[in-house]
Amino acid sequence: MPKPDIHPKWYPEAKVYCNGQVVMTVGSTQPELHVDVWSGNHPFFTGTQKIIDTEGRVERFLRKYGMLEGGDQSPAGGAGGKKKR
């Protein structure tokens, strides 16, 4: 039996909101939960996963390891064109 007055109040029907819409009901210690991402809009679960690459990191990786056509095939990966001695 739990001790009285030490546990938070339990809300068995707490609403989870994402973008202002109720997406599910769960048990929680808060009556409302506001989330940015849930399984209904997460790219992994929806299958709309796309790579966001604003700095060219993916292309640089692909070029470095020779996975990109027309890229540098050298082990240095085109990092300045200098070799270590």
Side-chain angles (χ1 to χ4, degrees):
M1 174 155 214
K3 291 184 180 181
D5 301 326
I6 65 167
H7 296 283
K9 180 172 168 76
W10 182 253
Y11 298 92
E13 299 292 322
K15 306 257 188 267
V16 179
Y17 292 91
C18 184
N19 296 330
Q21 297 178 356
V22 176
V23 293
M24 69 177 82
T25 304
V26 296
S28 176
T29 58
Q30 300 292 320
E32 293 181 352
L33 301 169
H34 296 273
V35 297
D36 294 326
V37 178
W38 66 292
S39 61
N41 69 354
H42 191 279
F44 180 79
F45 296 106
T46 60
T48 59
Q49 190 168 5
K50 55 185 168 184
I51 298 173
I52 300 173
D53 182 31
T54 58
E55 298 180 15
R57 293 180 182 156
V58 173
E59 286 80 14
R60 192 172 351 147
F61 175 83
L62 294 174
R63 252 184 289 130
K64 180 176 181 179
Y65 293 103
M67 296 177 203
L68 190 65
E69 292 183 17
D72 185 17
Q73 298 287 335
S74 68
K82 295 182 181 178
K83 293 183 180 179
K84 292 183 181 180
R85 292 181 184 218

